[in-house]
Amino acid sequence: MARVSVAALRRLHRTHGPRRAARALTLTPEPHPWLRALSLVTVVLAGAWLGLLIVGNVRVPVGPMNTTMALRPSLSGGTKINVSPLGALQLDSHLAPVRLDVNVDQLDPERSQALVDHPERISGLQNEVVHDVEHGTFDLAVRSCVAVVSGATALGLAVYRRPRRALAAGGLALALLAASGATAYATWNPKSVLEPKFSGLLSSAPSLVGNARSIVTEFDVYQKELARLVTNVTKLYDVTSTLPAYQPDPTTIRVLHVSDIHLNPASWKIIASLVEQYKVDVIVDSGDTMDHGTAAENGFLDPVKDLGVPYVWVRGNHDSMITQRYLERMKNVHVLDDGRAETVAGLRFAGTGDPQFTPDRSTVPGGGAAEQMAGTRLASALREQQARGTPVDVAVAHEPSAARETDGTVPLVLCGHLHHEDTEVMKYGTRLRMEGSTGGSGLRAVEHEYPAPIEASILYFDRDNHRLQAWDAIKLGGLGQTTAEVSRHLPEENLPGATPPPSSPSNASPPAGP
């Protein structure tokens, strides 16, 4: 039954008589009080969230870092510190419906270098950081109050078109924020900083700087390790801040190239972190994911299903047909063999598996000829795709000698096998991009004097013409090392002042295959 307020009904009765009041009783419904309250709370929460999202953040220097702090709605509270592209750490700092997000934008080179040059200053770094965080938190609290009240009031005015209801929405938003702040203060856990949860590449951070107990007992060692970590991260940010002037936009297709994982379980965490940090669209694995290719090793491949992006794979000489059939059953995996072509994430890929299976690293007589023959068949398949009007953008093979046979038939060919990164433009215009070992050579990581590094690349493609625009070569220190390097490279035709090539590789004239 329709309902109107008693006061409104009395006013109508006095001014217009009982007939008009009775008519209003049937035509002017009044929402149930619970529905009105629910509507107001919805508007308040939505407006407060929008206010926080748009203007509720502050830029604060914290120690040697430049950071951005913001409050975000959350069911569990806590603090999240993002150190892109290395990963993140989470602190169970408080229980409240708001989370403190701290994004490390960059390390200030001068402040970081001062810590490295004068390690004794690290002893006073804690007080400096605490002061900076307190100052930033106060500024954030003030800005958040303004953002929440403004957002809720503006949205309330847009929805209700009544200043009184809009002010009520702003006041309720401020009350909710104050209650959240009081809850956070009451549940504040200062010891949470001693038990952070690491993710991404930072998951190895505890082994780098030690746990809380070792920090107390071996503070001198901790100072040196912290200085070393700051140095390495500073180098990483220094490199990324001076990369060539190529800025990927949201339409850029991002490809993560990995190779020669060789049963290293740490590789999956690194790959997952790179997928998240770089917003990767597709992963290309140029083989030797396994070490012996036995069925007992198949369980190692299960994390591929959880990476969240398509996975393009070709067989290496350490991967068996057992390995290949296991991967073919995964929904997100695209196995390429015998020149098969597929369009994945907007790019057309074609590839071939390694014709040899030599898990014991034996030398097979005629093996080189077999690799070249496999490459020749791949090149023939690429020409057929070109003739059909479905040209391939990226070819994939495991062995470089097979990849070289595709020269002139495709703009880019990816390979691995040799456990070191390299690139070259071949005679007929095809760029060969060879990846190092994303598994740090696996079980053979310590065969040589220095541990093999962990290497991978992010390739940036133009979504319209599917051409390679740039690539980031990523190199992480091998077993027991803490270095991290990122270097950006541009194809010669994309360098400032360069002129585009007159013809593409697909229009060149390489020798015809048999």
Side-chain angles (χ1 to χ4, degrees):
M1 181 178 179
R3 302 173 62 184
V4 296
S5 67
V6 176
L9 189 60
R10 287 176 177 171
R11 286 196 299 270
L12 283 172
H13 188 277
R14 286 195 304 267
T15 57
H16 299 284
R19 182 175 296 178
R20 181 71 176 271
R23 185 180 179 187
L25 181 64
T26 60
L27 297 179
T28 310
E30 180 178 285
H32 193 280
W34 286 108
L35 292 178
R36 293 171 57 191
L38 180 61
S39 172
L40 181 61
V41 170
T42 302
V43 169
V44 166
L45 293 178
W49 182 80
L50 288 174
L52 286 176
L53 192 64
I54 296 173
V55 297
N57 57 72
V58 295
R59 296 185 179 276
V60 182
V62 177
M65 302 173 292
N66 295 324
T67 69
T68 301
M69 293 184 177
L71 290 180
R72 294 290 180 258
S74 171
L75 296 177
S76 58
T79 299
K80 184 176 182 181
I81 303 174
N82 298 298
V83 190
S84 180
L86 302 179
L89 58 92
Q90 292 181 321
L91 309 177
D92 295 329
S93 56
H94 62 276
L95 295 175
V98 289
R99 184 186 71 217
L100 174 61
D101 281 1
V102 181
N103 294 315
V104 178
D105 300 324
Q106 68 179 98
L107 281 108
D108 185 275
E110 294 183 1
R111 285 179 282 163
S112 301
Q113 192 62 44
L115 286 176
V116 175
D117 295 339
H118 304 281
E120 67 276 4
R121 296 185 182 180
I122 294 179
S123 58
L125 182 61
Q126 179 178 353
N127 293 333
E128 179 184 349
V129 169
V130 170
H131 177 269
D132 292 340
V133 171
E134 289 178 347
H135 182 267
T137 304
F138 177 78
D139 289 349
L140 178 62
V142 173
R143 180 179 285 264
S144 297
C145 288
V146 174
V148 163
V149 173
S150 301
T153 302
L155 188 60
L157 188 61
V159 172
Y160 298 114
R161 302 183 183 278
R162 298 178 183 176
R164 183 176 297 178
R165 296 292 296 274
L167 291 175
L172 181 56
L174 182 59
L176 290 176
L177 182 63
S180 299
T183 304
Y185 180 80
T187 60
W188 182 254
N189 177 23
K191 295 182 180 180
S192 62
V193 72
L194 301 177
E195 298 178 348
K197 298 176 182 178
F198 296 90
S199 62
L201 301 184
L202 286 178
S203 58
S204 61
S207 64
L208 303 184
V209 300
N211 56 32
R213 182 172 300 175
S214 67
I215 290 174
V216 174
T217 57
E218 300 176 341
F219 191 73
D220 290 340
V221 176
Y222 170 64
Q223 283 187 333
K224 295 177 182 178
E225 286 300 311
L226 183 58
R228 181 183 179 190
L229 183 62
V230 170
T231 301
N232 292 332
V233 176
T234 302
K235 288 180 179 178
L236 174 64
Y237 275 95
D238 182 58
V239 170
T240 56
S241 64
T242 57
L243 295 176
Y246 169 72
Q247 296 296 330
D249 59 48
T251 66
T252 301
I253 302 176
R254 300 161 190 251
V255 177
L256 171 59
H257 183 200
V258 301
S259 190
D260 297 86
I261 292 174
H262 285 292
L263 282 182
N264 186 344
S267 298
W268 299 127
K269 293 182 180 180
I270 294 171
I271 291 172
S273 177
L274 292 173
V275 167
E276 179 182 0
Q277 301 294 341
Y278 283 89
K279 296 179 174 58
V280 166
D281 297 296
V282 56
I283 302 169
V284 176
D285 185 342
S286 49
D288 273 5
T289 313
M290 310 298 256
D291 212 50
H292 293 87
T294 63
E297 295 175 336
N298 283 346
F300 171 77
L301 300 168
D302 289 344
V304 171
K305 296 180 291 187
D306 302 322
L307 292 174
V309 294
Y311 197 92
V312 176
W313 183 84
V314 297
R315 188 178 66 251
N317 61 294
H318 283 258
D319 304 316
S320 66
M321 291 303 299
I322 296 174
T323 304
Q324 181 161 315
R325 285 191 290 270
Y326 191 81
L327 281 168
E328 286 174 338
R329 292 195 290 268
M330 295 186 184
K331 292 183 179 180
N332 66 316
V333 176
H334 302 263
V335 175
L336 304 181
D337 199 4
D338 298 324
R340 184 184 309 130
E342 291 190 38
T343 300
V344 184
L347 294 174
R348 192 152 180 83
F349 296 89
T352 187
D354 197 299
Q356 301 185 87
F357 178 52
T358 55
D360 57 354
R361 293 186 290 171
S362 58
T363 301
V364 178
E371 297 288 353
Q372 292 178 358
M373 182 61 69
T376 300
R377 289 196 295 267
L378 175 58
S380 178
L382 295 173
R383 294 189 190 93
E384 290 180 6
Q385 291 289 328
Q386 178 72 23
R388 294 174 185 172
T390 56
V392 170
D393 303 307
V394 183
V396 190
H398 177 66
E399 231 269 7
S401 59
R404 291 181 184 280
E405 296 300 316
T406 66
D407 187 16
T409 64
V410 67
L412 176 67
V413 60
L414 305 179
C415 63
H417 185 63
L418 297 183
H419 294 199
H420 68 83
E421 176 267 341
D422 196 10
T423 185
E424 67 171 288
V425 178
M426 295 185 287
K427 180 179 179 181
Y428 295 101
T430 294
R431 181 179 298 276
L432 183 146
R433 174 81 186 131
M434 182 166 59
E435 192 53 79
S437 173
T438 311
S441 298
L443 298 176
R444 291 174 290 280
V446 292
E447 279 186 343
H448 305 290
E449 182 179 358
Y450 298 101
I454 294 171
E455 297 180 284
S457 299
I458 303 293
L459 313 177
Y460 302 96
F461 290 84
D462 186 280
R463 189 172 291 275
D464 294 329
N465 60 27
H466 298 177
R467 291 293 174 154
L468 180 67
Q469 301 298 303
W471 70 92
D472 291 344
I474 301 167
K475 180 182 292 187
L476 306 176
L479 186 65
Q481 297 184 341
T482 60
T483 57
E485 299 177 10
V486 178
S487 56
R488 175 159 297 170
H489 305 267
L490 301 180
E492 292 76 6
E493 61 270 20
N494 287 354
L495 291 174
T499 56
S503 62
S504 64
S506 59
N507 296 327
S509 302

